[in-house]
Amino acid sequence: MAEPVQRQLDAYNAKDLAAFCRCYHPDIAIYRMPASAPALQGLDALRQFYASERFTLPALRAEVLSRMVVGNKVIDHERVHGMSETPSEVAVVYEVDAGLIKNAWFYPASV
């Protein structure tokens, strides 16, 4: 279950948009908690957002501090660098379906 999550992390850190998007289901839904509606829905929205809002940041990278797999869920505790002056931490729950990430819930360390 963790394989597509690790591939997307590697692609994220390489800012390889094509490889990053290949890890996601066409109907991907990204939630930024505590919101109940997706912040991003669909592969086109994901591609556009990361192309314009994330992969343009030169210092962007994420590191996994811990990872747990429970059924088809992969839960990462990540430290993200390059989005602000100081790194931020987030818990992310990735739901994997047929080898692709179908849903992801991002829980910031502080809301």
Side-chain angles (χ1 to χ4, degrees):
M1 279 301 141
E3 192 270 333
V5 174
Q6 184 61 47
R7 279 191 297 116
Q8 70 84 37
L9 177 70
D10 294 341
Y12 179 93
N13 285 336
K15 297 182 188 73
D16 183 338
L17 185 61
F20 182 75
C21 289
R22 281 194 299 272
C23 301
Y24 289 89
H25 189 278
D27 297 327
I28 179 64
I30 304 284
Y31 298 85
R32 290 194 181 98
M33 304 312 290
S36 59
L40 292 171
Q41 190 148 22
L43 198 51
D44 287 340
L46 178 90
R47 183 180 292 109
Q48 184 176 350
F49 177 80
Y50 278 86
S52 65
E53 302 293 326
R54 291 294 183 265
F55 290 170
T56 56
L57 302 172
L60 183 71
R61 69 180 174 85
E63 60 182 304
V64 174
L65 302 177
S66 64
R67 175 172 285 163
M68 177 173 38
V69 178
V70 180
N72 70 336
K73 308 292 190 298
V74 179
I75 302 113
D76 280 357
H77 175 193
E78 299 177 2
R79 181 173 293 137
V80 181
H81 303 264
M83 289 182 26
S84 64
E85 208 170 285
T86 58
S88 59
E89 291 190 18
V90 61
V92 188
V93 179
Y94 298 96
E95 180 181 25
V96 178
D97 181 29
L100 296 172
I101 301 167
K102 188 165 186 181
N103 291 293
W105 295 267
F106 287 75
Y107 295 86
S110 60
V111 179

